[in-house]
Amino acid sequence: MKKYIILAVVPLLLSCKKEESRLIAPETMVQKKDSMTIEPEYQLDKNTVFGVYQLTNKDIAICLPAQFGAQDDPLSKKYEIFLAKDSIPWIYGKDMKDYQYYDTLSVGPLYYNKRFEDTFKKEMKDSYFVYGTKSFQKCSIRRVVFQSTECGNDYIAYILNVDKNLIGNPLIASEKVIPLKYGDRYSEINRLIKKSAAKESTENNYGFGNYNPIVYGNYKNLYFTYYDDFKWHDKKSGSNCQFPERAIFETDVMGKVNLLWSSEMDLLGLPCL
């Protein structure tokens, strides 16, 4: 009789074991997965990261400076050739022809021309990952305009379909995803970066001297910063920011800070000084 009792209990015990295993297995797997989480790898490519700025109340754009006489910069060279070949009207004292003002209310007038857009849109990708002070999103280029002034602080603006409510104030665009960790506990690295970069800052040397780079995120020992009050696109704002900047710094094992990449807007017009 005992033999039959034992045989009857064994299947019941096995059934309980299976049920227990089924109940706890998912939790065990999650813990194992978490313990083996590997941080995504990212290698900075300075040719695939760009500064993004708010140019008007409604326009946010990747802004690429076009420097006259910069023979080692293919984009600037192409821009200069285009201006000469197309006989840009305001440079040669002629009528606007088929050029039109895209915006005249911001810090500098922006121009639009279809030939220009068709020519320079080919220089960029169709879409980018755009990072702001809060988050990021994938955006596409919806228009290409440019600024051209007597001072020669020209730039090409690739206007993006950015949702500012989602990303916050715009900062940079990247061809590939950056595994950026946003945070606010950067007081010490902020101090080190400001101390390291202050002497080379255009804002300190030519502007109002208010240069104060803010770290908004990092990837390992790469720190992403901005200097901007995000008001200068409005002429009536009373902004004291003359050279808004985005930068990426690296710290080594000794705590030394090195500048790896930067983007800057010249709102003062240094070539005229």
Side-chain angles (χ1 to χ4, degrees):
M1 186 68 166
K2 289 182 179 180
K3 179 179 179 182
Y4 294 110
I5 293 175
I6 292 171
L7 288 174
V9 170
V10 168
L12 181 62
L13 290 174
L14 289 173
S15 175
C16 290
K17 280 290 183 181
K18 286 181 180 179
E19 181 65 19
E20 182 183 1
S21 175
R22 185 177 67 82
L23 290 173
I24 68 171
E27 183 181 353
T28 306
M29 288 176 66
V30 169
Q31 290 176 348
K32 185 176 181 181
K33 182 179 179 182
D34 289 343
S35 65
M36 295 179 66
T37 298
I38 299 174
E39 191 170 18
E41 284 299 318
Y42 172 73
Q43 185 69 40
L44 174 64
D45 180 351
K46 293 183 283 187
N47 296 315
T48 62
V49 179
F50 309 93
V52 179
Y53 303 87
Q54 181 157 0
L55 300 180
T56 73
N57 287 332
K58 59 179 175 42
D59 297 302
I60 291 170
I62 294 173
C63 295
L64 303 182
Q67 301 175 336
F68 293 92
Q71 297 300 315
D72 57 340
D73 180 3
L75 186 66
S76 291
K77 189 175 180 180
K78 186 173 183 176
Y79 177 84
E80 192 170 355
I81 292 172
F82 183 93
L83 294 195
K85 185 178 179 180
D86 219 58
S87 298
I88 299 301
W90 54 94
I91 293 179
Y92 295 93
K94 300 177 182 178
D95 294 333
M96 288 282 287
K97 297 190 302 183
D98 57 347
Y99 285 83
Q100 54 187 279
Y101 286 110
Y102 179 78
D103 179 85
T104 59
L105 299 178
S106 57
V107 173
L110 296 171
Y111 300 96
Y112 174 77
N113 174 271
K114 191 173 187 309
R115 286 190 307 281
F116 185 93
E117 182 175 58
D118 291 343
T119 299
F120 288 93
K121 195 170 185 179
K122 300 173 185 175
E123 299 296 315
M124 299 291 279
K125 302 282 187 181
D126 291 332
S127 61
Y128 290 87
F129 296 97
V130 180
Y131 292 77
T133 50
K134 294 194 304 184
S135 183
F136 78 100
Q137 69 175 143
K138 191 172 184 179
C139 304
S140 57
I141 293 172
R142 64 177 180 83
R143 177 118 304 179
V144 182
V145 299
F146 66 103
Q147 175 181 280
S148 179
T149 68
E150 294 179 356
C151 289
N153 55 329
D154 296 19
Y155 62 83
I156 304 170
Y158 294 86
I159 297 174
L160 302 154
N161 61 338
V162 176
D163 183 355
K164 191 177 175 182
N165 292 324
L166 176 64
I167 72 164
N169 289 308
L171 297 172
I172 61 172
S174 172
E175 289 184 10
K176 54 186 177 181
V177 173
I178 303 172
L180 187 65
K181 289 184 178 178
Y182 284 84
D184 56 7
R185 299 179 181 180
Y186 295 117
S187 57
E188 180 59 23
I189 190 63
N190 255 328
R191 184 187 66 79
L192 292 174
I193 288 175
K194 182 177 180 179
K195 181 180 179 182
S196 172
K199 291 182 180 179
E200 305 299 325
S201 166
T202 311
E203 178 67 40
N204 279 348
N205 292 328
Y206 296 98
F208 291 102
N210 299 321
Y211 182 65
N212 184 31
I214 303 297
V215 177
Y216 61 93
N218 75 290
Y219 169 75
K220 296 183 178 179
N221 64 329
L222 298 182
Y223 293 90
F224 294 69
T225 73
Y226 68 86
Y227 164 69
D228 203 330
D229 61 9
F230 306 109
K231 299 189 299 181
W232 51 266
H233 65 273
D234 182 357
K235 292 179 181 178
K236 299 178 182 178
S237 68
S239 171
N240 288 325
C241 182
Q242 295 280 16
F243 299 92
E245 175 197 80
R246 286 85 173 98
I248 302 173
F249 293 87
E250 179 184 47
T251 58
D252 61 21
V253 291
M254 302 300 293
K256 184 180 178 181
V257 176
N258 300 304
L259 174 64
L260 297 182
W261 170 90
S262 68
S263 165
E264 186 178 77
M265 291 284 283
D266 175 9
L267 307 179
L268 182 63
L270 283 180
C272 278
L273 297 183

